[in-house]
């Protein structure tokens, strides 16, 4: 791999994409770009885009492809995004094709796509115990990955909250959507020889090590 790394993490809700992407981006010295975080920030700021996507996100539905693609194109082709760790986008084969197109035009092709695999019971345990920082969006788990202080973000001390789409019924809906799209999305990258399967079970450190090895193998 020459130049800044361009890594994509994919996997079901709760697989640990955000947790790993945050740490990996720091380690590689590149931005962490997460579609869910960008969409939540737009809602938080009350932008027209935020108003448009709110109902989709609150239901746990996918935001329409064209809306997400436009948002991600703005971010991924910006001058400070030559390298990145991307998570949450793409989620459909159509988004994957659009991503390829925008990255090819910017001369920034992906180095590797890491598929994080975690069984459903564990996804449910992870999501129902999750808390996030509303300010920096860092994700915690009250048992598996707690903050140093019970209620506050290690980064900025802001009080942690539960995401409104982390209820069990909304999670089940998100999992159904993921399962509907996953085969086509992973097939898209498998066909192009980009996909590395990584076991997402185990400690955050163990999973990080596996992801690091997958990136090295792709270099
Ligand atoms: P988004 O925010 O992307 O949510 P998601 O994909 O459902 O993924 P999550 O954030 O739920 O899980 P994660 O894999 O990041 O897990 P985390 O690291 O936090 O999207 C939200 C919504 O935005 C979508 O539903 C949709 O509406 C919209 N959207 C976003 N992108 C879109 C797109 N491209 N197209 C259309 N719509 C889009 O970990 C989970 C928990 O587990 C945490 O508590 C963490 O501390 C814990 N944990 C992590 N690793 C471990 C470990 N190894 N062991 C134990 N616990 C762990």
């Amino acid at each position: 791999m020459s130049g800044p790394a361009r890594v994509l993490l994919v996997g079901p809700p709760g697989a640990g994409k955000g947790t790993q992407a945050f740490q990996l981006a720091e380690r590689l010295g590149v931005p962490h770009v997460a579609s869910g975080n960008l969409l939540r920030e737009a809602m938080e700021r009350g932008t027209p885009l935020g108003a448009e996507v709110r109902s989709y996100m609150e239901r746990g539905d996918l935001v329409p492809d064209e809306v997400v693609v436009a948002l991600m194109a703005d971010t991924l082709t910006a001058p400070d995004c030559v390298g990145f760790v991307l998570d949450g986008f793409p989620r459909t084969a159509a988004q994957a094709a659009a991503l390829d197109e925008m990255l090819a035009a910017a001369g920034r092709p992906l180095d590797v796509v890491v598929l994080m695999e975690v069984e459903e019971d564990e996804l449910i345990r992870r999501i129902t115990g999750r808390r996030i920082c509303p300010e920096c969006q860092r994700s915690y788990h009250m048992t598996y990955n707690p903050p140093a202080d019970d209620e506050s973000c290690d980064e900025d001390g802001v009080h942690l909250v539960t995401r409104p789409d982390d209820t069990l019924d909304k999670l089940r809906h998100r999992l159904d959507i993921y399962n509907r799209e996953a085969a086509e999305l992973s097939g898209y990258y498998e066909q192009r020889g980009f996909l590395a399967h990584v076991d997402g079970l185990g400690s955050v450190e163990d999973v990080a090590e596996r992801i690091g090895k997958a990136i090295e193998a792709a270099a």
Side-chain angles (χ1 to χ4, degrees), residues 47-215:
T47 65
L49 173 83
E52 188 180 352
V53 303
R54 181 176 294 277
S55 61
Y56 294 97
M57 294 189 65
E58 285 179 348
R59 286 193 305 268
D61 283 332
L62 290 185
V63 171
D65 284 347
E66 62 278 12
V67 176
V68 189
V69 167
L71 173 71
M72 299 310 287
D74 281 349
T75 305
L76 292 169
T77 58
D80 63 347
C81 220
V82 176
F84 50 78
V85 179
L86 178 57
D87 103 68
F89 174 86
R91 271 179 152 82
T92 63
Q95 289 183 13
L99 174 65
D100 270 355
E101 223 172 277
M102 70 179 83
L103 293 180
R108 301 173 184 177
L110 288 173
D111 297 313
V112 61
V113 179
V114 175
L115 172 59
M116 298 178 63
E117 296 171 320
V118 177
E119 63 192 35
E120 195 157 312
D121 286 354
E122 175 68 3
L123 296 174
I124 292 171
R125 278 192 289 276
R126 288 186 184 182
I127 290 287
T128 50
R130 172 164 63 183
R131 300 290 181 279
I132 61 159
C133 172
E135 190 62 35
C136 73
Q137 307 273 345
R138 188 167 168 183
S139 161
Y140 297 87
H141 190 282
M142 296 320 279
T143 311
Y144 297 147
N145 185 24
D149 165 348
D150 217 26
E151 306 268 322
S152 316
C153 178
D154 294 346
E155 289 295 304
D156 49 30
V158 171
H159 190 75
L160 302 177
V161 296
T162 302
R163 259 170 56 175
D165 58 346
D166 275 354
T167 59
L168 193 53
D169 59 329
K170 287 189 184 156
L171 171 61
R172 288 199 192 285
H173 182 58
R174 286 157 60 203
L175 284 168
D176 285 347
I177 293 174
Y178 175 80
N179 290 330
R180 210 169 59 212
E181 303 290 343
E184 204 186 351
L185 182 63
S186 50
Y188 180 94
Y189 288 117
E190 201 115 52
Q191 271 173 12
R192 286 159 181 78
F194 268 143
L195 197 66
H197 294 254
V198 165
D199 180 3
L201 280 176
S203 69
V204 170
E205 295 73 25
D206 286 349
V207 177
E209 197 178 324
R210 287 177 213 138
I211 292 175
K213 285 188 178 146
I215 295 172

